[in-house]
Amino acid sequence: MGEKAIEKVSIIISKGSLEGVYPGLIMANGARMEGIQAMVFFTFFGLDALHKKKMNKLKVATVGNPAMGIPTIVGAIPGMSAFATMMMKKEMEKLDIPPVGEFLEMIHDAGGEIYGCKAAMDMFHYKREDLCDQVDGILTVGEFYEKSAGASIIFT
Amino acid sequence: MATKELAGKSVEFDEEGYMVDFKQWDEEIAGELAREEGIEELTERHFQVIRYMRSEYEKNGIAPSIRKLTKGSGVPTKELYQLFPGGPAKKAARIGGMPKPKGCV
């Protein structure tokens, strides 16, 4: 007790798999629900979560994921990732966790800020109009740190 | 556990300040609790959210998530946060005489 409460979080989402994107979204939304300021910065493959054509097609990685409990070679069978993704989405729906597009809308409407990474945009040749309307801007690393002033930075 | 005098009734609260007895709640108590949360006056829009939340709680035994709250109450997310600044699910639950919501979303 007597510890200072968290007032602001700045969450980085750097992975583009379903299980790579959701933890950051849940934490951002959860922050807003607690009255904590939140911003989310999408970089590298995480940027796909903001891409209008890709955001709702993210997949669970079934290879190189020991927690899946299946041998790597089984995970590599065509359709395995799609199957695992479908199962996970079903479980998430039960918990009222929305699809990525709707989740971003929820976070944005809740006052959370959403940013894309300039370097990743250039690397993947994405244009601003490829990304969803909830994006508040494209930031360089420097601008990201500037906007994160006073925040706890969480890298996912 | 603590007992407090609110709107002329003696109301019991848990450690986190949420009402223990869902059935004891009324709109006058809600008004007092809202003032404690910094909401001067509860409008019809506030009650629209609270009433939906209470009916869901009564049916399912848990307070609905923000997503369900938005879809079910007919009050959009943005407005929910304006009506209950600093956490709509938590505040509406407390003002509405329910225990603290347990969900992560």
Side-chain angles (χ1 to χ4, degrees):
Chain A
M1 285 295 124
E3 303 272 16
K4 201 167 166 289
I6 290 176
E7 285 172 7
K8 183 176 173 187
V9 290
S10 178
I11 298 167
I12 303 169
I13 295 180
S14 67
K15 295 185 183 71
S17 57
L18 197 73
E19 77 276 17
V21 166
Y22 267 102
L25 294 179
I26 293 172
M27 291 191 71
N29 182 62
R32 292 303 304 133
M33 282 171 63
E34 293 298 315
I36 297 168
Q37 275 188 67
M39 62 175 267
V40 196
F41 182 65
F42 294 81
T43 186
F44 274 73
F45 287 103
L47 202 54
D48 279 3
L50 299 182
H51 194 289
K52 278 189 269 197
K53 294 205 173 96
K54 300 186 176 186
M55 52 166 47
N56 290 321
K57 292 184 185 153
L58 304 180
K59 297 259 177 316
V60 175
T62 45
V63 170
N65 182 359
M68 281 296 293
I70 55 172
T72 292
I73 194 134
V74 175
I77 296 172
M80 270 318 274
S81 179
F83 176 73
T85 302
M86 188 193 79
M87 294 303 287
M88 198 179 234
K89 280 186 172 170
K90 220 161 87 184
E91 288 304 314
M92 290 199 299
E93 188 61 44
K94 274 190 223 160
L95 294 172
D96 234 347
I97 301 173
V100 172
E102 189 191 331
F103 215 169
L104 288 169
E105 213 177 302
M106 238 169 86
I107 292 167
H108 195 252
D109 283 352
E113 292 168 40
I114 292 167
Y115 297 104
C117 162
K118 173 82 171 55
M121 289 289 286
D122 293 346
M123 190 166 26
F124 295 130
H125 303 290
Y126 287 174
K127 289 191 275 308
R128 178 63 186 80
E129 53 271 29
D130 296 330
L131 307 184
C132 64
D133 298 338
Q134 282 72 34
V135 175
D136 290 295
I138 308 296
L139 306 179
T140 62
V141 174
E143 289 165 338
F144 163 78
Y145 281 124
E146 227 172 82
K147 288 222 181 276
S148 300
S152 303
I153 295 180
I154 302 166
F155 184 85
T156 69
Chain B
M1 212 96 90
T3 310
K4 235 187 325 190
E5 283 296 316
L6 276 187
K9 285 155 232 131
S10 127
V11 185
E12 238 182 295
F13 290 91
D14 65 16
E15 292 83 359
E16 292 181 290
Y18 291 77
M19 275 175 69
V20 173
D21 184 4
F22 174 80
K23 293 203 175 68
Q24 205 189 3
W25 180 90
D26 61 29
E27 295 194 359
E28 279 179 15
I29 293 176
E32 299 276 338
L33 291 174
R35 270 185 286 281
E36 286 181 18
E37 294 290 342
I39 299 168
E40 259 335 290
E41 211 192 327
L42 289 175
T43 62
E44 193 40 47
R45 276 308 248 190
H46 287 103
F47 279 116
Q48 193 176 327
V49 176
I50 290 168
R51 271 187 228 114
Y52 169 76
M53 218 170 168
R54 283 183 63 85
S55 76
E56 282 295 302
Y57 180 80
E58 215 167 7
K59 258 189 284 173
N60 309 320
I62 43 165
S65 66
I66 288 267
R67 185 192 189 199
K68 233 185 185 165
L69 205 53
T70 303
K71 288 193 168 158
S73 70
V75 178
T77 312
K78 228 180 238 176
E79 194 184 341
L80 273 181
Y81 277 87
Q82 283 159 359
L83 290 171
F84 301 97
K90 246 169 57 175
K91 291 212 166 164
R94 191 167 116 77
I95 296 167
M98 286 158 275
K100 189 175 178 179
K102 298 251 180 336
C104 284
V105 277

